Amino acid sequence: ELWISLEEHQDALELIMSKYRKQMLQLLQGRKGEDAEPVLKVHQANSLEIESQIDRICEMGEVMRKAIQVDDDQFFKVQEKLAQLELENKELRELLSISKESFEVGREDLPD
């Protein structure tokens, strides 16, 4: 009788534990869906924020590229103007030296 009682008790415990495991599995599966939803929303929000930051970085990069292009164009214009001024200065100095030479030669030809 004791042996039969023990077997019945074990069968009852196994039935209870199987129902407990089944309910816990259902609960966990239900929770996984619920738990995943807030995480998914946060992940989507972070993705959108990162995407907007990437867009802003790309826009800033484009602005910097344009600024560099403008600076390069300005630099080349200044270099060109400088080269023109140096050439003009050299030519003016040559004219000045020719003018001084002719003035000195003209002076020497004049009688005192």
Side-chain angles (χ1 to χ4, degrees):
E1 287 179 23
L2 198 54
W3 188 261
I4 293 173
S5 176
L6 180 63
E7 285 180 0
E8 288 176 359
H9 183 64
Q10 285 179 341
D11 289 340
L13 279 176
E14 284 180 27
L15 179 65
I16 292 170
M17 288 305 294
S18 68
K19 286 185 178 182
Y20 172 77
R21 287 185 194 109
K22 184 178 177 182
Q23 287 179 352
M24 288 303 292
L25 183 62
Q26 289 173 350
L27 181 65
L28 289 175
Q29 286 176 347
R31 265 198 173 168
K32 283 183 183 177
E34 293 173 6
D35 289 345
E37 190 174 324
V39 171
L40 183 61
K41 286 181 182 179
V42 169
H43 178 68
Q44 287 173 343
N46 287 342
S47 295
L48 290 174
E49 183 178 339
I50 289 171
E51 195 173 310
S52 70
Q53 288 176 351
I54 288 171
D55 290 341
R56 286 181 51 210
I57 289 170
C58 289
E59 289 173 9
M60 287 188 280
E62 188 62 33
V63 168
M64 284 189 259
R65 272 190 224 100
K66 288 179 183 178
I68 289 169
Q69 184 64 39
V70 168
D71 285 347
D72 286 347
D73 291 345
Q74 187 67 23
F75 175 76
F76 292 131
K77 286 179 184 177
V78 168
Q79 288 293 100
E80 184 179 348
K81 185 69 173 175
L82 183 61
Q84 288 175 349
L85 289 173
E86 286 175 348
L87 181 62
E88 184 180 342
N89 187 19
K90 181 180 176 184
E91 291 173 357
L92 287 173
R93 287 182 186 273
E94 287 176 8
L95 286 174
L96 182 62
S97 70
I98 291 171
S99 174
K100 282 183 181 178
E101 288 175 9
S102 67
F103 180 72
E104 288 175 0
V105 168
R107 237 178 165 189
E108 290 175 2
D109 290 342
L110 289 175
D112 285 335

